[in-house]
């Protein structure tokens, strides 16, 4: 997998997320993808921040889109290599302060196999 393909996956990820198109977003993930987010720890403490699989991702994102209908990410930077993409973006929600976020997408065979979110 080359760097340009991984950058394209990240670009598709932002397009799907910002249109709240869960199925398009899930199509970028492996069936057993792993995801970590500090927000999961807050909203679903039983997960300890980790979820696995497309069904868990679908449930998590649907919940976020329902709670935050204006949720949108503005890309600051993408840095890709043959295995992963490091993304920096600004989380925007009407009525809330903007939040700087970093996320790593690990990619194998043109599918995201793991993602990890970092923010304050």
């Amino acid at each position: 997998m080359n760097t340009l393909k991984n950058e394209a996956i990240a670009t598709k990820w932002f397009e799907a997320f910002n249109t709240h198109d869960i199925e398009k977003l899930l199509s970028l993930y492996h069936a057993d993808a792993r995801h970590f987010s500090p927000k999961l720890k807050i909203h679903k403490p039983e997960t300890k921040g980790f979820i696995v699989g497309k069904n868990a991702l679908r449930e998590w994102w649907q919940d976020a889109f329902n709670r935050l209908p204006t949720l949108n990410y503005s890309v600051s930077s993408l840095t890709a290599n043959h295995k992963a993409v490091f993304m920096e973006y600004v989380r925007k929600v009407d009525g809330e302060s903007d939040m700087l976020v970093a996320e790593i997408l690990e990619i194998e065979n043109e599918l995201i196999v793991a993602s990890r979110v970092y923010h304050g």
Side-chain angles (χ1 to χ4, degrees):
M1 162 84 35
N2 70 34
T3 300
L4 292 177
K5 284 186 180 179
N6 284 348
E7 284 181 11
I9 289 168
T11 298
K12 289 177 186 175
W13 187 93
F14 281 106
E15 290 169 358
F17 199 94
N18 285 336
T19 59
H20 296 191
D21 187 337
I22 291 174
E23 295 310 314
K24 187 174 180 182
L25 193 55
L26 289 170
S27 74
L28 302 171
Y29 283 79
H30 184 276
D32 297 320
R34 301 172 318 279
H35 180 69
F36 172 83
S37 171
K39 293 284 187 187
L40 271 163
K41 282 183 174 182
I42 295 166
H43 294 285
K44 295 184 176 279
E46 69 279 7
T47 69
K48 298 181 182 168
F50 287 95
I51 54 176
V52 177
K54 285 188 178 186
N55 286 337
L57 286 167
R58 177 183 288 110
E59 183 181 306
W60 171 237
W61 286 322
Q62 188 61 63
D63 177 63
F65 295 152
N66 289 345
R67 282 184 294 106
L68 306 166
T70 62
L71 178 62
N72 187 277
Y73 295 155
S74 176
V75 182
S76 301
S77 70
L78 297 175
T79 305
N81 66 21
H82 65 287
K83 292 185 192 179
V85 180
F86 178 78
M87 311 185 306
E88 289 182 300
Y89 53 90
V90 178
R91 175 188 179 271
K92 296 177 176 277
V93 175
D94 288 353
E96 293 185 15
S97 296
D98 290 353
M99 177 188 297
L100 181 60
V101 181
E103 184 163 352
I104 296 174
L105 304 178
E106 295 177 29
I107 302 171
E108 294 176 8
N109 300 317
E110 299 187 36
L111 290 173
I112 300 165
V113 295
S115 51
R116 187 169 191 96
V117 179
Y118 300 87
H119 56 72

